[in-house]
Amino acid sequence: MELEASAKVEASGFMEVLRNPRLRLPLIIVCAFLGGQQLSGINAIFFYSVSVFRKAGLSTQAAEWANLGAGSLNLATSMVGPVLLKRVNRRPLMLFSTFFCAVCLFLFAMMLYFIVSGLRIPESRN
């Protein structure tokens, strides 16, 4: 660590980072995940969450508290990430979270389909 600290580190420019083949793949991966986060619409969810909670039947104050709770839960789960990265490799974490999100989105889409179409989920007959 002392050797690294004493070594002279030169700042790289934007074009130098883009031209470096060792940094190109990590840069693409980070941009893809951040782009996916922006396209997921999480910012819109937090922007409109108070009105969504109000339309769900909560009072104004309860909707604001629910919004604060959702934001706090988001912050708490963000704090768990670095702790998990110390114990588990990045690849299994990314694969698990991607799979879990895909399953949740599929289940949510199926729930909306049955609600909107007015169909009942068939019960199993024994």
Side-chain angles (χ1 to χ4, degrees):
M1 291 176 78
E2 290 176 3
L3 288 174
E4 288 182 14
S6 65
K8 292 184 178 180
V9 179
E10 294 181 24
S12 298
F14 180 70
M15 292 308 292
E16 293 172 12
V17 171
L18 290 178
R19 289 186 186 126
N20 189 344
R22 292 184 65 212
L23 298 176
R24 195 171 298 135
L25 182 60
L27 183 65
I28 291 170
I29 291 171
V30 167
C31 289
F33 280 117
L34 291 177
Q37 180 183 11
Q38 289 299 314
L39 292 174
S40 72
I42 191 66
N43 295 334
I45 289 172
F46 279 115
F47 183 78
Y48 292 108
S49 63
V50 173
S51 63
V52 169
F53 287 132
R54 293 264 337 245
K55 288 181 182 178
L58 296 177
S59 67
T60 303
Q61 186 177 11
E64 290 172 357
W65 279 105
N67 185 30
L68 181 65
S72 298
L73 181 63
N74 188 16
L75 177 66
T77 55
S78 298
M79 297 297 194
V80 171
V83 174
L84 283 175
L85 283 175
K86 286 182 182 178
R87 300 169 196 254
V88 183
N89 291 333
R90 287 183 178 100
R91 183 178 175 94
L93 286 175
M94 291 302 298
L95 290 174
F96 174 75
S97 65
T98 303
F99 174 75
F100 186 69
C101 286
V103 168
C104 287
L105 287 173
F106 176 75
L107 292 174
F108 187 68
M110 292 304 295
M111 180 186 68
L112 286 177
Y113 171 76
F114 286 114
I115 289 172
V116 169
S117 67
L119 297 175
R120 293 184 179 211
I121 300 174
E123 296 179 10
S124 62
R125 296 180 185 175
N126 292 335

PDB file of all heavy atoms in Angstrom, residues 63-91:
ATOM      1  N   ALA A  63     -49.508   9.672   3.290  1.00  0.00           N
ATOM      2  CA  ALA A  63     -48.830   9.489   2.006  1.00  0.00           C
ATOM      3  C   ALA A  63     -47.407  10.034   2.058  1.00  0.00           C
ATOM      4  O   ALA A  63     -46.481   9.433   1.506  1.00  0.00           O
ATOM      5  CB  ALA A  63     -49.614  10.176   0.889  1.00  0.00           C
ATOM      6  N   GLU A  64     -47.224  11.157   2.742  1.00  0.00           N
ATOM      7  CA  GLU A  64     -45.878  11.708   2.881  1.00  0.00           C
ATOM      8  C   GLU A  64     -45.003  10.798   3.739  1.00  0.00           C
ATOM      9  O   GLU A  64     -43.823  10.610   3.441  1.00  0.00           O
ATOM     10  CB  GLU A  64     -45.949  13.115   3.457  1.00  0.00           C
ATOM     11  CG  GLU A  64     -46.523  14.116   2.483  1.00  0.00           C
ATOM     12  CD  GLU A  64     -46.777  15.476   3.094  1.00  0.00           C
ATOM     13  OE1 GLU A  64     -46.556  15.650   4.312  1.00  0.00           O
ATOM     14  OE2 GLU A  64     -47.203  16.371   2.347  1.00  0.00           O
ATOM     15  N   TRP A  65     -45.568  10.237   4.805  1.00  0.00           N
ATOM     16  CA  TRP A  65     -44.813   9.305   5.638  1.00  0.00           C
ATOM     17  C   TRP A  65     -44.477   8.026   4.865  1.00  0.00           C
ATOM     18  O   TRP A  65     -43.388   7.470   5.021  1.00  0.00           O
ATOM     19  CB  TRP A  65     -45.577   8.973   6.912  1.00  0.00           C
ATOM     20  CG  TRP A  65     -45.441  10.024   7.960  1.00  0.00           C
ATOM     21  CD1 TRP A  65     -46.385  10.931   8.325  1.00  0.00           C
ATOM     22  CD2 TRP A  65     -44.287  10.292   8.762  1.00  0.00           C
ATOM     23  NE1 TRP A  65     -45.889  11.754   9.311  1.00  0.00           N
ATOM     24  CE2 TRP A  65     -44.597  11.390   9.606  1.00  0.00           C
ATOM     25  CE3 TRP A  65     -43.030   9.733   8.854  1.00  0.00           C
ATOM     26  CZ2 TRP A  65     -43.699  11.909  10.514  1.00  0.00           C
ATOM     27  CZ3 TRP A  65     -42.129  10.251   9.768  1.00  0.00           C
ATOM     28  CH2 TRP A  65     -42.461  11.327  10.580  1.00  0.00           C
ATOM     29  N   ALA A  66     -45.410   7.563   4.046  1.00  0.00           N
ATOM     30  CA  ALA A  66     -45.154   6.375   3.230  1.00  0.00           C
ATOM     31  C   ALA A  66     -44.042   6.661   2.215  1.00  0.00           C
ATOM     32  O   ALA A  66     -43.187   5.799   1.959  1.00  0.00           O
ATOM     33  CB  ALA A  66     -46.426   5.935   2.513  1.00  0.00           C
ATOM     34  N   ASN A  67     -44.037   7.862   1.656  1.00  0.00           N
ATOM     35  CA  ASN A  67     -42.977   8.257   0.730  1.00  0.00           C
ATOM     36  C   ASN A  67     -41.630   8.302   1.450  1.00  0.00           C
ATOM     37  O   ASN A  67     -40.620   7.841   0.923  1.00  0.00           O
ATOM     38  CB  ASN A  67     -43.296   9.621   0.118  1.00  0.00           C
ATOM     39  CG  ASN A  67     -42.298  10.018  -0.928  1.00  0.00           C
ATOM     40  OD1 ASN A  67     -41.714   9.187  -1.592  1.00  0.00           O
ATOM     41  ND2 ASN A  67     -42.095  11.314  -1.082  1.00  0.00           N
ATOM     42  N   LEU A  68     -41.625   8.847   2.665  1.00  0.00           N
ATOM     43  CA  LEU A  68     -40.395   8.876   3.464  1.00  0.00           C
ATOM     44  C   LEU A  68     -39.935   7.453   3.781  1.00  0.00           C
ATOM     45  O   LEU A  68     -38.740   7.149   3.729  1.00  0.00           O
ATOM     46  CB  LEU A  68     -40.618   9.660   4.753  1.00  0.00           C
ATOM     47  CG  LEU A  68     -39.412   9.783   5.672  1.00  0.00           C
ATOM     48  CD1 LEU A  68     -38.307  10.590   5.009  1.00  0.00           C
ATOM     49  CD2 LEU A  68     -39.822  10.418   6.984  1.00  0.00           C
ATOM     50  N   GLY A  69     -40.868   6.581   4.081  1.00  0.00           N
ATOM     51  CA  GLY A  69     -40.519   5.183   4.353  1.00  0.00           C
ATOM     52  C   GLY A  69     -39.936   4.492   3.132  1.00  0.00           C
ATOM     53  O   GLY A  69     -38.961   3.742   3.237  1.00  0.00           O
ATOM     54  N   ALA A  70     -40.517   4.742   1.959  1.00  0.00           N
ATOM     55  CA  ALA A  70     -39.994   4.137   0.732  1.00  0.00           C
ATOM     56  C   ALA A  70     -38.587   4.652   0.430  1.00  0.00           C
ATOM     57  O   ALA A  70     -37.701   3.877   0.045  1.00  0.00           O
ATOM     58  CB  ALA A  70     -40.931   4.433  -0.438  1.00  0.00           C
ATOM     59  N   GLY A  71     -38.367   5.942   0.605  1.00  0.00           N
ATOM     60  CA  GLY A  71     -37.034   6.501   0.395  1.00  0.00           C
ATOM     61  C   GLY A  71     -36.032   5.976   1.397  1.00  0.00           C
ATOM     62  O   GLY A  71     -34.875   5.689   1.057  1.00  0.00           O
ATOM     63  N   SER A  72     -36.455   5.810   2.648  1.00  0.00           N
ATOM     64  CA  SER A  72     -35.567   5.265   3.680  1.00  0.00           C
ATOM     65  C   SER A  72     -35.223   3.812   3.393  1.00  0.00           C
ATOM     66  O   SER A  72     -34.078   3.387   3.587  1.00  0.00           O
ATOM     67  CB  SER A  72     -36.222   5.376   5.051  1.00  0.00           C
ATOM     68  OG  SER A  72     -36.454   6.725   5.365  1.00  0.00           O
ATOM     69  N   LEU A  73     -36.201   3.059   2.912  1.00  0.00           N
ATOM     70  CA  LEU A  73     -35.934   1.669   2.554  1.00  0.00           C
ATOM     71  C   LEU A  73     -34.955   1.595   1.380  1.00  0.00           C
ATOM     72  O   LEU A  73     -34.055   0.750   1.369  1.00  0.00           O
ATOM     73  CB  LEU A  73     -37.243   0.961   2.202  1.00  0.00           C
ATOM     74  CG  LEU A  73     -37.130  -0.514   1.833  1.00  0.00           C
ATOM     75  CD1 LEU A  73     -36.610  -1.323   3.020  1.00  0.00           C
ATOM     76  CD2 LEU A  73     -38.470  -1.044   1.371  1.00  0.00           C
ATOM     77  N   ASN A  74     -35.111   2.487   0.423  1.00  0.00           N
ATOM     78  CA  ASN A  74     -34.186   2.550  -0.706  1.00  0.00           C
ATOM     79  C   ASN A  74     -32.777   2.869  -0.224  1.00  0.00           C
ATOM     80  O   ASN A  74     -31.804   2.257  -0.660  1.00  0.00           O
ATOM     81  CB  ASN A  74     -34.664   3.595  -1.708  1.00  0.00           C
ATOM     82  CG  ASN A  74     -33.870   3.577  -2.989  1.00  0.00           C
ATOM     83  OD1 ASN A  74     -33.158   2.629  -3.279  1.00  0.00           O
ATOM     84  ND2 ASN A  74     -33.996   4.639  -3.762  1.00  0.00           N
ATOM     85  N   LEU A  75     -32.651   3.820   0.699  1.00  0.00           N
ATOM     86  CA  LEU A  75     -31.344   4.172   1.256  1.00  0.00           C
ATOM     87  C   LEU A  75     -30.752   3.008   2.043  1.00  0.00           C
ATOM     88  O   LEU A  75     -29.555   2.695   1.910  1.00  0.00           O
ATOM     89  CB  LEU A  75     -31.466   5.406   2.155  1.00  0.00           C
ATOM     90  CG  LEU A  75     -30.191   5.845   2.866  1.00  0.00           C
ATOM     91  CD1 LEU A  75     -29.155   6.315   1.846  1.00  0.00           C
ATOM     92  CD2 LEU A  75     -30.498   6.932   3.865  1.00  0.00           C
ATOM     93  N   ALA A  76     -31.563   2.344   2.844  1.00  0.00           N
ATOM     94  CA  ALA A  76     -31.067   1.222   3.655  1.00  0.00           C
ATOM     95  C   ALA A  76     -30.563   0.084   2.773  1.00  0.00           C
ATOM     96  O   ALA A  76     -29.500  -0.499   3.049  1.00  0.00           O
ATOM     97  CB  ALA A  76     -32.159   0.731   4.597  1.00  0.00           C
ATOM     98  N   THR A  77     -31.294  -0.239   1.723  1.00  0.00           N
ATOM     99  CA  THR A  77     -30.844  -1.313   0.839  1.00  0.00           C
ATOM    100  C   THR A  77     -29.600  -0.892   0.063  1.00  0.00           C
ATOM    101  O   THR A  77     -28.782  -1.744  -0.287  1.00  0.00           O
ATOM    102  CB  THR A  77     -31.952  -1.744  -0.133  1.00  0.00           C
ATOM    103  OG1 THR A  77     -32.432  -0.615  -0.850  1.00  0.00           O
ATOM    104  CG2 THR A  77     -33.099  -2.401   0.612  1.00  0.00           C
ATOM    105  N   SER A  78     -29.448   0.397  -0.198  1.00  0.00           N
ATOM    106  CA  SER A  78     -28.228   0.870  -0.850  1.00  0.00           C
ATOM    107  C   SER A  78     -27.021   0.716   0.065  1.00  0.00           C
ATOM    108  O   SER A  78     -25.901   0.501  -0.398  1.00  0.00           O
ATOM    109  CB  SER A  78     -28.368   2.334  -1.256  1.00  0.00           C
ATOM    110  OG  SER A  78     -29.392   2.502  -2.187  1.00  0.00           O
ATOM    111  N   MET A  79     -27.237   0.830   1.355  1.00  0.00           N
ATOM    112  CA  MET A  79     -26.141   0.674   2.307  1.00  0.00           C
ATOM    113  C   MET A  79     -25.740  -0.796   2.483  1.00  0.00           C
ATOM    114  O   MET A  79     -24.628  -1.085   2.905  1.00  0.00           O
ATOM    115  CB  MET A  79     -26.534   1.245   3.671  1.00  0.00           C
ATOM    116  CG  MET A  79     -26.804   2.714   3.655  1.00  0.00           C
ATOM    117  SD  MET A  79     -25.316   3.594   3.194  1.00  0.00           S
ATOM    118  CE  MET A  79     -25.764   5.238   3.658  1.00  0.00           C
ATOM    119  N   VAL A  80     -26.630  -1.710   2.148  1.00  0.00           N
ATOM    120  CA  VAL A  80     -26.320  -3.129   2.272  1.00  0.00           C
ATOM    121  C   VAL A  80     -25.360  -3.568   1.165  1.00  0.00           C
ATOM    122  O   VAL A  80     -24.550  -4.486   1.366  1.00  0.00           O
ATOM    123  CB  VAL A  80     -27.621  -3.966   2.239  1.00  0.00           C
ATOM    124  CG1 VAL A  80     -27.343  -5.452   2.147  1.00  0.00           C
ATOM    125  CG2 VAL A  80     -28.459  -3.662   3.457  1.00  0.00           C
ATOM    126  N   GLY A  81     -25.414  -2.904   0.019  1.00  0.00           N
ATOM    127  CA  GLY A  81     -24.583  -3.281  -1.125  1.00  0.00           C
ATOM    128  C   GLY A  81     -23.096  -3.364  -0.838  1.00  0.00           C
ATOM    129  O   GLY A  81     -22.471  -4.406  -1.107  1.00  0.00           O
ATOM    130  N   PRO A  82     -22.473  -2.307  -0.310  1.00  0.00           N
ATOM    131  CA  PRO A  82     -21.032  -2.403  -0.022  1.00  0.00           C
ATOM    132  C   PRO A  82     -20.676  -3.497   0.984  1.00  0.00           C
ATOM    133  O   PRO A  82     -19.620  -4.123   0.879  1.00  0.00           O
ATOM    134  CB  PRO A  82     -20.700  -1.020   0.545  1.00  0.00           C
ATOM    135  CG  PRO A  82     -21.736  -0.116  -0.013  1.00  0.00           C
ATOM    136  CD  PRO A  82     -22.966  -0.954  -0.125  1.00  0.00           C
ATOM    137  N   VAL A  83     -21.558  -3.751   1.937  1.00  0.00           N
ATOM    138  CA  VAL A  83     -21.298  -4.825   2.909  1.00  0.00           C
ATOM    139  C   VAL A  83     -21.318  -6.178   2.205  1.00  0.00           C
ATOM    140  O   VAL A  83     -20.461  -7.039   2.450  1.00  0.00           O
ATOM    141  CB  VAL A  83     -22.334  -4.776   4.058  1.00  0.00           C
ATOM    142  CG1 VAL A  83     -22.180  -5.958   4.986  1.00  0.00           C
ATOM    143  CG2 VAL A  83     -22.219  -3.469   4.816  1.00  0.00           C
ATOM    144  N   LEU A  84     -22.286  -6.369   1.299  1.00  0.00           N
ATOM    145  CA  LEU A  84     -22.353  -7.623   0.557  1.00  0.00           C
ATOM    146  C   LEU A  84     -21.163  -7.786  -0.374  1.00  0.00           C
ATOM    147  O   LEU A  84     -20.685  -8.904  -0.583  1.00  0.00           O
ATOM    148  CB  LEU A  84     -23.658  -7.698  -0.238  1.00  0.00           C
ATOM    149  CG  LEU A  84     -24.907  -8.025   0.547  1.00  0.00           C
ATOM    150  CD1 LEU A  84     -26.130  -7.944  -0.353  1.00  0.00           C
ATOM    151  CD2 LEU A  84     -24.808  -9.382   1.182  1.00  0.00           C
ATOM    152  N   LEU A  85     -20.688  -6.684  -0.957  1.00  0.00           N
ATOM    153  CA  LEU A  85     -19.557  -6.770  -1.878  1.00  0.00           C
ATOM    154  C   LEU A  85     -18.290  -7.233  -1.177  1.00  0.00           C
ATOM    155  O   LEU A  85     -17.418  -7.820  -1.809  1.00  0.00           O
ATOM    156  CB  LEU A  85     -19.314  -5.420  -2.554  1.00  0.00           C
ATOM    157  CG  LEU A  85     -20.277  -5.071  -3.670  1.00  0.00           C
ATOM    158  CD1 LEU A  85     -20.027  -3.669  -4.176  1.00  0.00           C
ATOM    159  CD2 LEU A  85     -20.163  -6.070  -4.802  1.00  0.00           C
ATOM    160  N   LYS A  86     -18.175  -6.982   0.120  1.00  0.00           N
ATOM    161  CA  LYS A  86     -17.011  -7.461   0.861  1.00  0.00           C
ATOM    162  C   LYS A  86     -17.046  -8.975   1.025  1.00  0.00           C
ATOM    163  O   LYS A  86     -16.009  -9.617   1.105  1.00  0.00           O
ATOM    164  CB  LYS A  86     -16.963  -6.824   2.251  1.00  0.00           C
ATOM    165  CG  LYS A  86     -16.557  -5.391   2.258  1.00  0.00           C
ATOM    166  CD  LYS A  86     -16.488  -4.889   3.689  1.00  0.00           C
ATOM    167  CE  LYS A  86     -16.124  -3.418   3.722  1.00  0.00           C
ATOM    168  NZ  LYS A  86     -16.095  -2.910   5.116  1.00  0.00           N
ATOM    169  N   ARG A  87     -18.243  -9.552   1.074  1.00  0.00           N
ATOM    170  CA  ARG A  87     -18.385 -10.972   1.379  1.00  0.00           C
ATOM    171  C   ARG A  87     -18.645 -11.838   0.148  1.00  0.00           C
ATOM    172  O   ARG A  87     -18.310 -13.018   0.134  1.00  0.00           O
ATOM    173  CB  ARG A  87     -19.519 -11.167   2.383  1.00  0.00           C
ATOM    174  CG  ARG A  87     -19.253 -10.435   3.671  1.00  0.00           C
ATOM    175  CD  ARG A  87     -20.489 -10.429   4.540  1.00  0.00           C
ATOM    176  NE  ARG A  87     -20.333  -9.423   5.577  1.00  0.00           N
ATOM    177  CZ  ARG A  87     -20.079  -9.687   6.837  1.00  0.00           C
ATOM    178  NH1 ARG A  87     -19.946 -10.918   7.223  1.00  0.00           N
ATOM    179  NH2 ARG A  87     -19.969  -8.723   7.711  1.00  0.00           N
ATOM    180  N   VAL A  88     -19.286 -11.275  -0.884  1.00  0.00           N
ATOM    181  CA  VAL A  88     -19.681 -12.047  -2.059  1.00  0.00           C
ATOM    182  C   VAL A  88     -19.131 -11.330  -3.293  1.00  0.00           C
ATOM    183  O   VAL A  88     -19.050 -10.104  -3.331  1.00  0.00           O
ATOM    184  CB  VAL A  88     -21.224 -12.149  -2.157  1.00  0.00           C
ATOM    185  CG1 VAL A  88     -21.636 -13.018  -3.329  1.00  0.00           C
ATOM    186  CG2 VAL A  88     -21.812 -12.687  -0.870  1.00  0.00           C
ATOM    187  N   ASN A  89     -18.769 -12.096  -4.292  1.00  0.00           N
ATOM    188  CA  ASN A  89     -18.289 -11.500  -5.540  1.00  0.00           C
ATOM    189  C   ASN A  89     -19.390 -10.718  -6.241  1.00  0.00           C
ATOM    190  O   ASN A  89     -20.579 -10.946  -6.018  1.00  0.00           O
ATOM    191  CB  ASN A  89     -17.757 -12.590  -6.471  1.00  0.00           C
ATOM    192  CG  ASN A  89     -16.483 -13.200  -5.961  1.00  0.00           C
ATOM    193  OD1 ASN A  89     -15.728 -12.563  -5.242  1.00  0.00           O
ATOM    194  ND2 ASN A  89     -16.252 -14.447  -6.326  1.00  0.00           N
ATOM    195  N   ARG A  90     -18.995  -9.828  -7.109  1.00  0.00           N
ATOM    196  CA  ARG A  90     -19.959  -8.978  -7.811  1.00  0.00           C
ATOM    197  C   ARG A  90     -20.840  -9.765  -8.767  1.00  0.00           C
ATOM    198  O   ARG A  90     -22.024  -9.488  -8.898  1.00  0.00           O
ATOM    199  CB  ARG A  90     -19.216  -7.886  -8.590  1.00  0.00           C
ATOM    200  CG  ARG A  90     -18.657  -6.827  -7.722  1.00  0.00           C
ATOM    201  CD  ARG A  90     -17.997  -5.737  -8.582  1.00  0.00           C
ATOM    202  NE  ARG A  90     -17.509  -4.686  -7.738  1.00  0.00           N
ATOM    203  CZ  ARG A  90     -16.258  -4.557  -7.366  1.00  0.00           C
ATOM    204  NH1 ARG A  90     -15.364  -5.419  -7.789  1.00  0.00           N
ATOM    205  NH2 ARG A  90     -15.887  -3.564  -6.587  1.00  0.00           N
ATOM    206  N   ARG A  91     -20.259 -10.716  -9.467  1.00  0.00           N
ATOM    207  CA  ARG A  91     -21.017 -11.451 -10.486  1.00  0.00           C
ATOM    208  C   ARG A  91     -22.235 -12.168  -9.907  1.00  0.00           C
ATOM    209  O   ARG A  91     -23.340 -12.023 -10.433  1.00  0.00           O
ATOM    210  CB  ARG A  91     -20.099 -12.417 -11.222  1.00  0.00           C
ATOM    211  CG  ARG A  91     -20.797 -13.152 -12.343  1.00  0.00           C
ATOM    212  CD  ARG A  91     -19.829 -14.062 -13.079  1.00  0.00           C
ATOM    213  NE  ARG A  91     -20.502 -14.855 -14.057  1.00  0.00           N
ATOM    214  CZ  ARG A  91     -20.632 -14.526 -15.329  1.00  0.00           C
ATOM    215  NH1 ARG A  91     -20.113 -13.393 -15.745  1.00  0.00           N
ATOM    216  NH2 ARG A  91     -21.260 -15.308 -16.162  1.00  0.00           N
TER     217      ARG A  91
END
